Amino acid sequence: MTPPKSLLERAFSLLAAFTVDRPALTLSELSRHSGLPLNTTHRLVASLAGLRALDRTADGRYAVGLRLLELGALSPGSLDLRDRAVPFLEDLYEVTRHNVQPAVRDGTDVVYVERISARDAVNVVTRVGSRMPLPCTGVGLVLLAAAPVAVQEAVLSAPLKRFTPMTITSAGALREALARVRRDGHAISDRQLEMITYSVAAPVRGPEGDVVAAVSVVVPTGTRTDSVVPAVRTCGLAISRALGWTSA
């Protein structure tokens, strides 16, 4: 990996060291994960903490600050989508009483922009702002099926990460899964991330009819899909119309 040169690149590489699995890091951990010298890390962390981009935790580590969360929430795509989608997401939640999650594509990853879940809903590994590879989630399959050919081929030609014994890890199986999504108009990702859950996802279209997002419900394994699939598809259609899409 080419070392970051500009100050902005160095600061961003430092922030990119934080992940869902690493929400709080020490200075030495930040230095190691970002590839920056410890003295550079120390200076950047001090500046970012002063700007409220980083916060110091009670045990002396650092975590992403509220200011970054505030700025991230203003992302034009996710802001408009969330504002228009929330009423329909709440309706979907009332119908299913399970985890409801809209997401968008960023390169070859899916990024979750909202989540509504019940206290007793099945546990999920994703959260708002987290990202996952496209092939292993319901929303990811929907987004990948509608992605440009170059994006699809980039995913199909790269190694596919295995999370469970059910995770799709071959290009052939993934091509078949994407064909089913395009045929059926929805995706079912069966125990790909955890053996206790599967997700049902449907596309969300923009004014021109292109797929700009996807919405899913994550339910416990064994839940019947005959009521979940229509509910998710209806939610996707409702959000699409709220965004300005009109079906043929």
Side-chain angles (χ1 to χ4, degrees):
M1 182 176 66
T2 304
K5 296 179 180 179
S6 71
L7 178 61
L8 183 59
E9 288 175 325
R10 291 196 294 270
F12 195 84
S13 68
L14 193 67
L15 294 172
F18 295 99
T19 67
V20 173
D21 297 324
R22 300 193 300 263
L25 297 167
T26 64
L27 281 173
S28 60
E29 289 170 337
L30 281 166
S31 174
R32 183 171 71 254
H33 289 298
S34 66
L36 297 173
L38 187 58
N39 58 344
T40 301
T41 300
H42 189 275
R43 290 198 303 271
L44 285 173
V45 166
S47 296
L48 290 168
L51 295 168
R52 295 192 301 131
L54 292 180
D55 287 334
R56 194 165 190 181
T57 62
D59 60 1
R61 295 186 295 173
Y62 290 89
V64 173
L66 287 177
R67 184 57 180 151
L68 280 185
L69 295 178
E70 292 168 0
L71 293 173
L74 296 175
S75 172
S78 65
L79 182 63
D80 187 52
L81 172 65
R82 289 166 67 187
D83 283 350
R84 295 176 184 267
V86 163
F88 307 106
L89 299 175
E90 291 175 342
D91 288 344
L92 181 58
Y93 164 74
E94 291 296 334
V95 169
T96 63
R97 288 289 170 172
H98 290 295
N99 299 286
V100 174
Q101 302 181 124
V104 297
R105 181 177 65 85
D106 183 24
T108 58
D109 288 339
V110 59
V111 179
Y112 294 87
V113 297
E114 186 58 88
R115 189 174 89 186
I116 302 175
S117 60
R119 184 175 300 175
D120 57 349
V122 64
N123 184 55
V124 294
V125 298
T126 55
R127 62 185 179 90
V128 177
S130 67
R131 60 176 60 223
M132 286 285 176
L134 287 167
C136 62
T137 66
V139 285
L141 288 172
V142 167
L143 293 167
L144 183 57
V149 173
V151 174
Q152 294 182 15
E153 292 303 320
V155 173
L156 288 161
S157 62
L160 300 174
K161 183 176 179 179
R162 181 184 294 277
F163 293 89
T164 75
M166 298 294 291
T167 305
I168 297 173
T169 56
S170 75
L174 181 54
R175 288 186 189 277
E176 292 177 3
L178 297 178
R180 285 195 297 273
V181 173
R182 288 188 284 266
R183 179 196 68 199
D184 299 338
H186 67 270
I188 296 178
S189 180
D190 184 13
R191 294 168 289 173
Q192 286 211 81
L193 279 179
E194 294 184 289
M195 291 300 291
I196 61 172
T197 64
Y198 72 88
S199 66
V200 177
V204 173
R205 299 181 183 276
E208 303 303 318
D210 50 324
V211 176
V212 297
V215 60
S216 72
V217 171
V218 181
V219 298
T221 302
T223 304
R224 294 181 57 174
T225 62
D226 52 358
S227 61
V228 177
V229 170
V232 176
R233 293 188 61 164
T234 299
C235 181
L237 287 171
I239 298 172
S240 299
R241 290 177 181 135
L243 292 175
W245 177 70
T246 303
S247 58

